[in-house]
Amino acid sequence: MKLLDLVSATGALALAFAWAALFAVLVFLASVPTSVATQALLSLLACCLIYVMKPGVTSNMTLRFVVLSIAGTFVLRYWLWRLLETLPSIEDPVSLAAALVLFAAESFTVAIFFLTALINSDPVDPPKPAPVRLEDVPTVDILIPSYNESEELLAVTLAAATRINYPAEKKRVVLCDDGGTDARCNHTDLETRRRARERRASLQALCKELGVEYTTRARNERAKAGNLNAALQHLDGELVLVLDADHVPTRDFLARTVGYMVENPRLFLVQSPHFFTNRDPIERNLGLPETSPSENEMFYAQIHRGLDRFGGAFFCGSAALLRRQALDVVGGIAGETITEDAETALDIHARGWESLYLDHAMVAGLQPETFASFIQQRGRWATGMIQMLMLKNPIFRSGLSLKQRLCYLNSMSFWLFPAIRMIFLLMPLLYLFFGLEIYVVTTQEVLAYILPYLLIGFMVQNALFGSVRWPQISEVYEIAQTPYLLKAVVHTVLRPRDASFKVTAKDETLDHAFLSPVYAPLAALAALLLAGLVAGAFRWAAFPGDRAVVEIVGAWNLYNFLLVAYALRAVFERPDQLDRPRCGISSPAMLRWSQSAPGEDEQAAEVHAEIAAFTPRSVTLHLGNDTRSRHGRVFREGASTGLKVELVPTLPQAPELEAPLPLKVKAVRSDVEGTLIELDVAPAQMIAASRLTAHLVYGDSLRWHFFRKVYPQGSTLIAGLAYVAGKSLMSVPKSVIGFLTEPARRRREATEDAMRGEPAFVVAPMDRPARAPLEAAAVAGAADYLVIEE
Amino acid sequence: MKHWILPLLAAALLPAFAHAVRAQQILLHDMPELPAQDASAAPAERLAQSAVPRMDWTAAAPMAEEHADGLPVLLPLRPVVPQGAETEGYRVQGQVGEARFVLFLPRKAEGAELELTTLSSINLLPEQSKIRVEVNGTTIGTVIPDNFDALGTDALAIPGSALKPGRNVVTLRFQQVHRVFCGPDAAFDLWTDVLLSQSGIKVAPSDFGADAPGFLAAVAAQLGRGQPLVVAESRGSGDVASMAAAMARVESLFEGLPPEMRITDPYAVATVPPALARVTLLPEEFSPPDLPQFRRGGDGALVLVANAAHPEQVAGVMLSAFGDRHPANPVPLLQPGVPRSLADLGAGRLVGQGNYIRETVRFQLPWDWLVLSAQRAELRLDYGFDRDLPKGALLLVKINDATVHLLPLDEDDKAGQRVETLRIPFAANMLDPGVNQLTFEALVPGDAPDEACAPRSTPIFEIFDTTTVEIPTAPSMSVARLDMVLDALSPESVRLSEAAADALPLGLLPRLASVFVGHGAKAPGAASLTIGVPSDLSTLGGAILGDATSTLQEAMLIAPHPEEKELDAWAKVDNGRWWRAFYDTDKVGTALRAFRDRLAAIWRGPQSELDVWLDGRAADAMLLQPDLDRPGDIWLILRPNLAPEKLVASLIDGGGRLDVPRGQVSLFTPDAGWQSWHSSKRRLKLHEPLTLDNARRVVGNYASLAPPLFIVPMLALSLVSAILAMGVMIITRRRKK
């Protein structure tokens, strides 16, 4: 084996040297100045080759490397051309300064291109680990940190955690409550004190009911990291599973992950994807179709697999299994920055530990419901990552391999996008408003260099990420966040230690359309770019000699404006009804009248039902067309409201949950497809309902697999570009109307007395029944092995 | 004059006239004239009587009498930049123009008058139009161009001090105003033709002294009449070939269009009307040692008698009298890498007047300067323009007739002052080795387009002489091209093919060779030009022509059909905007086809490419560089019946033309000028060692000349790089532990 390793290492070294020599030649060739015709021909050929090979990039490694190599050569040539040929003269220092800023931004994107190409060149999926005997499985502490989440939300997560398939004696579920710390319970503010004490008491009761350990600490120090570390002080499990409060685990979580830890003792982390049952506010407000992959899928389905290839998979804060020994080596969860997760991984990686990423979602959580919350969450991520870049720069961190440095650098530097994006957005305005020469280039060169460069960038992005990200959607997401995150990024670069952890609200409710209170920066940006278009039109008319330049820069600004106009839709909050709800289920049950009518035997007063949705506070049943019991009792719209019933789910794999659940009819609706009954869960039954929710809705990871890998559709480049162009164009009148009608809407709202509210945990009503649940569960196998039953 | 030789000469020549016929032959000053009645014999009779062809005496006697009577002879204006034949009208088009002519005076002329015969477009408004006439820089008067329906002659007295013996320069400055319209388009309708054969100064025949100035003036006067300079020579084409270089040097003294020279047998001089001057070359055995001499013939003609074996003696005599030729427009050399101002280029301040203005600065780049890639050159323009110019007034800055910048001239805030220096970058590969042009073209709409332009005292624009051009340095490289060889030619390196010697007039050789007087030292490498006829094409061989020989021959058989020239001044300003694609489908189709053809041309072989290029083209003449292994050997193929004036004029330096022959094959028609085809097999030559410093630019030139040689290796290396990287990636994959 060692000989084989030696041969491999020698071969790799030789190949690497050969590649480096070849690369030097390519750099020289890429720097050669040629005629525009030659460049145009090169561009055409490169674009054609990439376009032809693009469909095979994901599945065929050779094609992937060839495409990336051709694209890389072209991008390198573009960058060298920009550097050597297109910068204005030093005699015009103002223009030169602006041009250098733009060039720096472009250089950054070029560097990111190469990093992205490298990291996504060979994404891996780890093979399944060897089965582990039950008696050999390590002990696991399941930590669920909480700060201000609702009891219902926590109940489901805790119930699901307790139901994770794992030997009971080897598993401990711990709620780490930072909302009920001693400091908060003794807070000088009476209201804060009261709420903290109530929260501590209710959660303690909840935990007791669910068999979960409740922990809290004296003071709220170092946010989530401090919370987890405080809990860890009292725990001794060999492994630690960290779950965010809204991240409900499936039962197979440990069965799918612990084996890797047992197999490789140097492994400190098994990270799994975060799956969300609701759509993020940008995705929702932009009106992206449900088949459009979620925003985080690009990271979890593609990039993290690439990071894992280079040993750079890192801790994402939740849905991750950690080795306690490794945590102890670095003093627990790191807390110097507000992204404790990646920071902890960086520290442990620097000690030589290894990590692994498993692309199988085993938690389901909640995205922030509003655009403002989303921005707050991303602001925290951006701040934390920039903190790490400034305080714990991986390039200078000892103990990391070169590949790991690049992985971390890629992940951290991504969050500089607000600055980069803002430069790209504003730079054309410097010319349109002030006439600054930011680019010394002819129309022919634009066609031969710049457009192919952009096109190749689009094609490579589409080739690598086409199945997880539609074209231009990344740009729209970044633009939507840019005006908000820019300040945080700049502030953090200037004062990296001056940042605070803000918990993202996850249990907001959105039941009506409204204009986000944080609309102003994005709207101002759109207005600025619109003014740029007007200035461009003026400049075109006023300066005939500059028309070629105005057309080029104006087209750039128009492109920017269209993207910003589309991104601006994000501030128009609107409730969402998914055609295919991610929490929708279809599980058999019996619905029983609690009080039998005279002459009926007790067993007879029931009907067959199908559970369509289940939450700790409400249940939705579908009765089909036959809603009549054997004795002729039926549920009628209006007449049955307030009726007390009992639900008995049919759960052959979880008979312990088949106990009748008392409910009250809230509403009955009938149509040609049958009868839909909405039922309220009594507060006293919330925990039981939570257990059922955890099992019925969140128990099966294959459900999330379906929504991640089967349901979404990729997009071709042309279709994607056309889609965004159409949406962008339509966004302009929509947004204008939205802004014009907003004052009237606010007046109407002010006159409404009742506040509508539904916990976010309750997903949209089930207009259509979901497909039958996938049959899968992780169980403790009869052969005394920890196995996954699919 | 050594008189002792004359009897000997007469004795030697007289036997040739043994027959009774008395031809107008070498009649030296002091020899008795032959009886006039001998000359009146019928031509048919003469032909029958003599083996020596064509002696037409019919008009000789009266003209001789005319000279003898002392009737004045017109010394015509010779244009410095010829447009065509000597006797044609010389056209000056546009609102403002200038034409320069030389005029050779045999001796000082007191009380002379300059006659100007013109014909103008009916569109001219005579009240506001004028031609200012200068002689050697002295304004002698103004002529109103009002001859609209027939030629008319105006005479201006020339002050005695203005003229000098020998070379004089007459400058005509035109101001022409349209009587109905005002604007750039109207400017194209304004023209005046100066009939050269009837414009000049009349002098007495006796003024033509038997000396070099007298001879030169006499020849010029004769050429102005449309008569060639007759060179009597007895040994045929072989001798002419050996004398051509010296003859060419003498021809170059005439400036402008070299004189047409007719080589005849000494006994076959056709003189209708009688010649004012001619040349007689004696065989060496009959040449006295004091030749060359100027003598007066019996018909009054000045005869330059010279030893045919030593033509350089003639050149020596003439050149010592006049010095070297005066280049029409000397083109300054621009040293790359250093900013050069217009003042450095000898252009000075450029002042634009009129509604359509073209002011051109010419400069020359070294022949071993070669930038084929898109490096940047820069023009730093110092300019100003007049106040209150009409809306839409534009100034186009052009490099070799391609617009690189467009400046509005209707911005009030910048008008009437020196505008801040404007930096105009442009692609250096718009420039060629050799002569280049920087043009400032202004289009000024009429303030009232349908009225005559109001007189304007101030110029439309001024380009200050502080304006600079900076051209990037380039590695010393060159690529085969016709114009470089043409520049390297000397009169000695021009010859006739055997077939051409039989088919073409012998005088064409020195006439064409004179174009290259003063060349030779400019461009590197050996060079030779062979003048041939279409039948020579099949003998040329060479990789360039290949199978296209027959197509080339066909091109010389097709009658050229003149193309309608685009006279819309605005057409190039806003033409070709990209949004035309939305409504002009023809343009789109044409553009796409052109794009496809261009792409295909890069990959296609040069043979078929030349065939395709030649398809349907016609040529009166063609220049060829048939063999890239011997790029200096070029051929000029002429139609045997070609009137060569326009061809010769097109090859003369200073024509201000851009359609000079380039590439490897160039076709000429009088209307279309030169159209050139470049072979993709052209080879680059590096004249300096390859170093790290010049490597990028050297490779860049190769890459630009032959894109596949750059693109294919680059993509291949990318492919290999991908495979190596994939190998590294596979080997370094994490193994299961």
Side-chain angles (χ1 to χ4, degrees):
Chain A
M1 191 67 181
K2 281 186 177 175
L3 183 63
L4 188 65
D5 285 346
L6 187 66
V7 171
S8 294
T10 310
L13 202 62
L15 283 177
F17 271 120
W19 181 86
L22 207 59
F23 182 71
V25 177
L26 273 174
V27 169
F28 170 76
L29 286 180
S31 74
V32 165
T34 65
S35 65
V36 177
T38 301
Q39 175 63 26
L41 191 66
L42 173 66
S43 302
L44 190 70
L45 276 173
C47 288
C48 289
L49 285 171
I50 292 172
Y51 188 78
V52 168
M53 290 187 277
K54 189 167 73 77
V57 161
T58 310
S59 56
N60 187 307
M61 185 182 186
T62 308
L63 284 183
R64 183 161 61 248
F65 272 77
V66 171
V67 163
L68 291 177
S69 183
I70 293 174
T73 304
F74 191 92
V75 169
L76 182 66
R77 180 163 173 72
Y78 170 82
W79 184 79
L80 288 167
W81 171 75
R82 285 281 286 119
L83 174 69
L84 299 171
E85 309 289 342
T86 65
L87 296 178
S89 162
I90 197 165
E91 293 170 33
D92 185 359
V94 179
S95 291
L96 179 62
L100 286 176
V101 170
L102 175 63
F103 179 67
E106 281 196 78
S107 302
F108 176 84
T109 57
V110 167
I112 289 293
F113 170 87
F114 282 107
L115 271 178
T116 304
L118 174 72
I119 285 168
N120 292 281
S121 60
D122 189 25
V124 291
D125 289 308
K128 283 185 180 175
V132 187
R133 292 180 65 86
L134 284 177
E135 63 199 40
D136 295 334
V137 297
T139 54
V140 179
D141 292 324
I142 303 174
L143 303 189
I144 302 168
S146 171
Y147 180 69
N148 58 2
E149 291 79 10
S150 69
E151 191 178 341
E152 288 82 7
L153 188 150
L154 283 171
V156 178
T157 306
L158 293 172
T162 59
R163 292 187 54 74
I164 288 179
N165 245 314
Y166 208 69
E169 68 279 8
K170 300 275 180 94
K171 175 182 74 177
R172 179 162 44 189
V173 181
V174 181
L175 175 66
C176 313
D177 181 27
D178 243 14
T181 54
D182 296 345
R184 288 178 66 82
C185 288
N186 298 304
H187 202 277
T188 51
D189 178 57
L190 293 179
E191 179 60 19
T192 304
R193 181 193 304 173
R194 182 188 64 78
R195 289 168 62 180
R197 289 182 176 180
E198 283 181 7
R199 175 183 168 85
R200 180 190 279 191
S202 65
L203 289 183
Q204 282 175 333
L206 175 69
C207 290
K208 187 176 180 185
E209 182 76 18
L210 289 170
V212 171
E213 283 189 24
Y214 174 90
T215 65
T216 187
R217 54 181 173 151
R219 286 178 298 278
N220 299 76
E221 290 173 336
R222 290 188 173 251
K224 183 178 173 182
N227 189 6
L228 289 171
N229 286 335
L232 284 172
Q233 286 178 357
H234 308 292
L235 302 172
D236 57 358
E238 295 167 79
L239 304 176
V240 178
L241 170 61
V242 179
L243 296 170
D244 277 353
D246 60 308
H247 282 184
V248 186
T250 55
R251 300 191 66 198
D252 55 351
F253 195 108
L254 293 177
R256 287 184 187 273
T257 53
V258 166
Y260 294 111
M261 288 290 197
V262 173
E263 198 171 73
N264 180 4
R266 293 298 300 165
L267 194 66
F268 82 93
L269 168 74
V270 179
Q271 177 66 54
S272 73
H274 296 181
F275 175 78
F276 300 104
T277 55
N278 61 336
R279 302 211 293 170
D280 73 59
I282 293 182
E283 181 184 7
R284 185 192 63 223
N285 296 341
L286 258 50
L288 290 175
E290 288 174 37
T291 50
S292 169
S294 297
E295 188 249 1
N296 64 343
E297 276 304 297
M298 184 166 148
F299 177 71
Y300 282 118
Q302 188 71 25
I303 295 174
H304 218 144
R305 291 167 57 223
L307 293 173
D308 190 28
R309 162 64 181 80
F310 293 102
F314 64 88
F315 180 33
C316 299
S318 176
L321 191 63
L322 296 151
R323 190 180 296 278
R324 176 66 189 266
Q325 184 190 352
L327 280 175
D328 290 343
V329 166
V330 295
I333 303 292
E336 193 172 348
T337 71
I338 59 174
T339 45
E340 77 295 334
D341 38 19
E343 185 188 349
T344 304
L346 178 71
D347 288 346
I348 301 177
H349 268 136
R351 302 295 183 101
W353 293 82
E354 297 172 16
S355 62
L356 183 141
Y357 174 71
L358 179 64
D359 184 23
H360 185 86
M362 292 167 288
V363 299
L366 286 173
Q367 294 273 21
E369 193 69 3
T370 64
F371 180 66
S373 301
F374 181 86
I375 291 298
Q376 186 195 42
Q377 179 195 53
R378 297 306 163 102
R380 178 166 62 82
W381 292 359
T383 302
M385 281 302 202
I386 301 301
Q387 276 186 307
M388 284 180 64
L389 194 63
M390 304 301 293
L391 301 173
K392 295 192 170 183
N393 194 305
I395 295 298
F396 310 110
R397 190 72 191 268
S398 62
L400 296 173
S401 69
L402 175 64
K403 292 178 288 187
Q404 285 174 324
R405 290 176 205 273
L406 293 177
C407 287
Y408 275 105
L409 188 68
N410 179 61
S411 302
M412 293 171 191
S413 54
F414 165 78
W415 290 99
L416 288 170
F417 78 79
I420 304 303
R421 187 60 63 182
M422 190 59 90
I423 289 170
F424 287 140
L425 291 174
L426 297 186
M427 206 48 75
L429 300 180
L430 291 182
Y431 174 76
L432 296 174
F433 287 146
F434 310 114
L436 289 188
E437 184 185 37
I438 47 178
Y439 225 117
V440 184
V441 69
T442 64
T443 308
Q444 290 79 11
E445 287 170 329
V446 170
L447 296 175
Y449 283 92
I450 301 175
L451 280 186
Y453 165 73
L454 294 174
L455 189 60
I456 284 175
F458 291 164
M459 284 196 291
V460 169
Q461 193 182 30
N462 187 242
L464 290 175
F465 306 116
S467 60
V468 290
R469 178 67 53 86
W470 287 8
Q472 298 295 294
I473 297 300
S474 290
E475 284 78 357
V476 174
Y477 263 85
E478 288 184 9
I479 287 172
Q481 300 170 66
T482 289
Y484 307 95
L485 270 54
L486 181 61
K487 187 180 169 187
V489 168
V490 172
H491 184 85
T492 308
V493 168
L494 298 176
R495 295 182 179 181
R497 297 189 183 279
D498 190 12
S500 60
F501 190 103
K502 292 189 180 69
V503 177
T504 307
K506 294 289 185 71
D507 50 1
E508 294 168 306
T509 302
L510 191 69
D511 58 356
H512 65 290
F514 63 95
L515 180 63
S516 172
V518 297
Y519 75 90
L522 198 51
L525 182 62
L528 192 64
L529 266 60
L530 183 63
L533 285 179
V534 175
F538 169 77
R539 188 171 280 276
W540 192 89
F543 304 105
D546 297 345
R547 283 181 181 172
V549 183
V550 174
E551 285 163 21
I552 294 167
V553 183
W556 179 9
N557 190 55
L558 177 64
Y559 167 77
N560 284 344
F561 172 73
L562 287 175
L563 289 183
V564 172
Y566 190 27
L568 185 60
R569 297 302 302 157
V571 303
F572 291 93
E573 303 277 19
R574 60 179 191 177
D576 187 26
Q577 287 193 350
L578 291 173
D579 287 339
R580 178 161 289 192
R582 295 169 189 173
C583 288
I585 55 174
S586 178
S587 182
M590 298 298 291
L591 185 61
R592 184 187 302 163
W593 277 260
S594 296
Q595 296 165 333
S596 300
E600 288 178 354
D601 62 83
E602 213 166 272
Q603 294 301 317
E606 61 183 27
V607 292
H608 291 281
E610 191 179 81
I611 304 171
F614 211 112
T615 77
R617 295 178 70 181
S618 71
V619 179
T620 303
L621 300 179
H622 187 247
L623 297 187
N625 289 318
D626 184 14
T627 61
R628 191 178 295 272
S629 76
R630 205 167 54 181
H631 299 288
R633 294 190 68 171
V634 293
F635 290 96
R636 291 195 177 86
E637 288 185 45
S640 300
T641 304
L643 196 68
K644 290 185 177 176
V645 294
E646 287 178 346
L647 181 71
V648 184
T650 307
L651 301 169
Q653 292 181 354
E656 73 278 10
L657 296 177
E658 287 186 333
L661 180 68
L663 301 165
K664 191 162 74 177
V665 176
K666 181 182 178 188
V668 178
R669 292 203 306 271
S670 297
D671 57 25
V672 291
E673 291 186 351
T675 300
L676 208 66
I677 304 179
E678 289 178 31
L679 304 146
D680 282 337
V681 179
Q685 303 301 323
M686 190 271 287
I687 293 175
S690 297
R691 283 200 181 97
L692 278 169
T693 304
H695 181 82
L696 288 170
V697 179
Y698 299 96
D700 184 1
S701 66
L702 290 185
R703 175 193 300 279
W704 313 143
H705 178 81
F706 170 81
F707 282 108
R708 289 184 68 226
K709 304 288 187 183
V710 182
Y711 188 47
Q713 294 172 0
S715 172
T716 62
L717 179 61
I718 294 171
L721 290 175
Y723 176 81
V724 171
K727 281 282 193 180
S728 298
L729 288 171
M730 293 304 297
S731 296
V732 178
K734 279 184 179 176
S735 296
V736 170
I737 294 170
F739 281 117
L740 292 176
T741 56
E742 177 63 13
R745 190 203 62 76
R746 289 187 179 180
R747 282 194 298 274
R748 273 200 315 275
E749 191 181 58
T751 59
E752 289 176 3
D753 297 324
M755 295 292 292
R756 284 165 291 180
E758 282 289 323
F761 213 75
V762 182
V763 191
M766 306 296 116
D767 293 327
R768 289 187 211 167
R771 54 173 289 179
L774 298 163
E775 293 298 331
V779 298
D784 291 341
Y785 283 95
L786 188 65
V787 296
I788 307 155
E789 188 181 279
E790 296 187 25
Chain B
M1 185 70 68
K2 296 182 176 178
H3 300 287
W4 58 267
I5 194 70
L6 297 176
L8 282 176
L9 186 60
L13 295 176
L14 281 174
F17 299 90
H19 299 288
V21 179
R22 286 292 175 257
Q24 171 61 54
Q25 24 31 28
I26 309 164
L27 295 175
L28 303 184
H29 186 60
D30 50 354
M31 286 181 77
E33 290 190 31
L34 291 170
Q37 61 270 26
D38 286 349
S40 62
E45 182 190 349
R46 293 197 304 274
L47 288 173
Q49 292 172 337
S50 173
V52 180
R54 295 203 304 138
M55 284 184 259
D56 186 355
W57 298 91
T58 312
M63 290 305 292
E65 283 170 12
E66 180 187 59
H67 298 165
D69 293 345
L71 287 178
V73 175
L74 183 76
L75 295 176
L77 298 178
R78 291 185 58 74
V80 172
V81 180
Q83 291 180 343
E86 311 266 3
T87 53
E88 291 178 2
Y90 189 92
R91 176 161 293 193
V92 176
Q93 194 169 22
Q95 290 169 297
V96 180
E98 179 187 302
R100 280 198 303 143
F101 305 89
V102 288
L103 193 151
F104 296 104
L105 270 185
R107 60 185 60 176
K108 193 168 176 63
E110 294 289 343
E113 282 189 338
L114 178 69
E115 292 180 3
L116 209 58
T117 303
T118 59
L119 178 69
S120 297
S121 156
I122 188 64
N123 296 308
L124 260 70
L125 178 63
E127 289 79 6
Q128 291 186 30
S129 302
K130 60 184 178 185
I131 306 170
R132 199 176 82 202
V133 184
E134 295 174 6
V135 174
N136 292 330
T138 305
T139 303
I140 62 164
T142 301
V143 171
I144 305 300
D146 53 0
N147 304 312
F148 301 125
D149 49 0
L151 288 166
T153 302
D154 297 276
L156 292 171
I158 306 174
S161 58
L163 285 172
K164 60 186 181 186
R167 182 178 182 271
N168 293 271
V169 177
V170 176
T171 307
L172 306 182
R173 301 188 191 277
F174 291 76
Q175 180 181 318
Q176 306 183 113
V177 177
H178 202 289
R179 66 173 74 225
V180 181
F181 301 115
C182 183
D185 298 330
F188 290 115
D189 296 332
L190 303 173
W191 53 261
T192 293
D193 283 347
V194 180
L195 190 68
L196 300 175
S197 60
Q198 295 180 31
S199 299
I201 294 174
K202 281 182 176 164
V203 295
S206 58
D207 285 347
F208 297 111
D211 50 16
F215 181 78
L216 198 71
V219 172
Q222 182 168 310
L223 295 169
R225 294 173 173 182
Q227 290 181 285
L229 171 63
V230 173
V231 177
E233 197 273 335
S234 60
R235 290 195 301 182
S237 61
D239 220 26
V240 171
S242 64
M243 295 187 296
M247 292 162 82
R249 288 202 162 77
V250 175
E251 289 210 29
S252 72
L253 290 175
F254 289 86
E255 300 185 30
L257 193 69
E260 180 189 354
M261 208 174 266
R262 183 175 299 163
I263 311 294
T264 67
D265 188 274
Y267 315 111
V269 180
T271 55
V272 179
L276 295 171
R278 62 175 169 270
V279 177
T280 295
L281 299 172
L282 299 177
E284 184 163 28
E285 55 269 33
F286 301 124
S287 296
D290 60 346
L291 294 184
Q293 292 179 356
F294 295 96
R295 298 293 179 91
R296 191 166 304 276
D299 55 353
L302 270 175
V303 182
L304 169 59
V305 184
N307 184 340
H310 296 288
E312 73 282 355
Q313 292 174 341
V314 176
V317 167
M318 298 301 288
L319 293 174
S320 63
F322 288 96
D324 286 333
R325 63 179 298 202
H326 294 78
N329 282 312
V331 185
L333 185 71
L334 194 151
Q335 196 60 41
V338 185
R340 295 287 302 273
S341 68
L342 295 192
D344 297 335
L345 297 176
R349 190 171 59 113
L350 303 178
V351 177
Q353 287 179 314
N355 291 76
Y356 177 74
I357 309 161
R358 267 183 81 91
E359 292 289 337
T360 296
V361 179
R362 302 200 311 156
F363 57 89
Q364 185 161 298
L365 288 168
W367 284 109
D368 65 343
W369 179 91
L370 189 67
V371 172
L372 299 177
S373 60
Q375 290 181 50
R376 299 257 184 268
E378 189 175 74
L379 171 73
R380 295 184 176 219
L381 182 63
D382 287 330
Y383 75 111
F385 53 92
D386 200 6
R387 290 189 177 86
D388 302 324
L389 291 177
K391 282 289 168 200
L394 297 172
L395 175 63
L396 305 177
V397 182
K398 295 184 168 185
I399 297 291
N400 289 337
D401 222 22
T403 302
V404 294
H405 206 80
L406 187 152
L407 292 165
L409 298 181
D410 54 0
E411 294 178 359
D412 295 337
D413 55 331
K414 291 182 180 172
Q417 58 183 314
R418 187 180 175 121
V419 180
E420 189 182 352
T421 301
L422 178 68
R423 295 172 54 241
I424 303 176
F426 60 93
N429 59 5
M430 297 173 78
L431 300 165
D432 286 305
V435 178
N436 294 274
Q437 290 188 354
L438 165 64
T439 304
F440 301 95
E441 184 176 295
L443 304 171
V444 184
D447 214 353
D450 53 356
E451 291 177 13
C453 293
R456 177 179 280 276
S457 59
T458 51
I460 297 294
F461 69 79
E462 288 185 48
I463 308 293
F464 299 107
D465 60 3
T466 51
T467 295
T468 58
V469 184
E470 184 170 4
I471 311 296
T473 55
S476 179
M477 297 181 84
S478 62
V479 65
R481 49 192 297 153
L482 284 167
D483 51 346
M484 187 168 78
V485 181
L486 288 174
D487 202 45
L489 287 173
S490 64
E492 289 80 5
S493 52
V494 183
R495 63 173 180 269
L496 284 170
S497 73
E498 281 185 25
D502 293 336
L504 298 175
L506 292 177
L508 190 59
L509 177 60
R511 196 179 197 192
L512 275 167
S514 78
V515 169
F516 307 108
V517 172
H519 289 205
K522 296 179 186 173
S528 74
L529 170 69
T530 307
I531 301 167
V533 288
S535 61
D536 285 320
L537 283 169
S538 53
T539 67
L540 294 185
I544 293 297
L545 303 186
D547 299 331
T549 306
S550 59
T551 321
L552 284 166
Q553 285 172 329
E554 283 169 22
M556 303 212 76
L557 296 175
I558 301 172
H561 50 281
E563 291 178 10
E564 294 249 340
K565 286 188 177 173
E566 181 71 70
L567 287 180
D568 181 2
W570 300 98
K572 288 183 179 173
V573 175
D574 219 17
N575 196 18
R577 312 304 300 181
W578 57 269
W579 55 78
R580 289 185 68 144
F582 291 107
Y583 61 89
D584 192 342
T585 50
D586 287 345
K587 282 269 181 191
V588 177
T590 307
L592 288 176
R593 278 192 296 278
F595 180 67
R596 180 200 62 196
D597 293 345
R598 177 140 176 75
L599 287 180
I602 293 168
W603 297 103
R604 209 167 39 205
Q607 308 300 334
S608 57
E609 192 185 46
L610 178 56
D611 271 344
V612 171
W613 183 79
L614 284 170
D615 187 33
R617 291 178 192 266
D620 282 342
M622 58 177 65
L623 264 167
L624 307 167
Q625 191 174 39
D627 189 352
L628 289 177
D629 289 332
R630 290 179 290 116
D633 295 346
I634 62 172
W635 282 70
L636 175 64
I637 307 293
L638 303 175
R639 277 184 175 159
N641 56 351
L642 173 70
E645 284 77 15
K646 292 203 171 183
L647 170 71
V648 176
S650 74
L651 291 171
I652 294 173
D653 271 353
R657 298 175 188 84
L658 278 173
D659 62 336
V660 296
R662 302 175 197 270
Q664 278 61 56
V665 175
S666 197
L667 307 185
F668 176 80
T669 57
D671 292 307
W674 291 98
Q675 299 173 71
S676 301
W677 170 84
H678 299 261
S679 167
S680 56
K681 285 189 174 176
R682 286 175 300 165
R683 292 171 199 161
L684 280 174
K685 201 168 176 185
L686 179 63
H687 305 292
E688 64 184 28
L690 186 67
T691 63
L692 277 178
D693 190 40
N694 66 13
R696 279 180 62 244
R697 289 178 295 166
V698 169
V699 176
N701 277 345
Y702 278 100
S704 304
L705 187 72
L709 291 180
F710 173 69
I711 294 171
V712 172
M714 196 161 179
L715 292 177
L717 286 176
S718 296
L719 185 68
V720 177
S721 161
I723 291 167
L724 289 176
M726 194 167 69
V728 174
M729 207 58 86
I730 290 171
I731 290 175
T732 57
R733 270 181 179 164
R734 182 169 52 191
R735 289 189 188 79
K736 193 168 177 177
K737 296 187 177 173

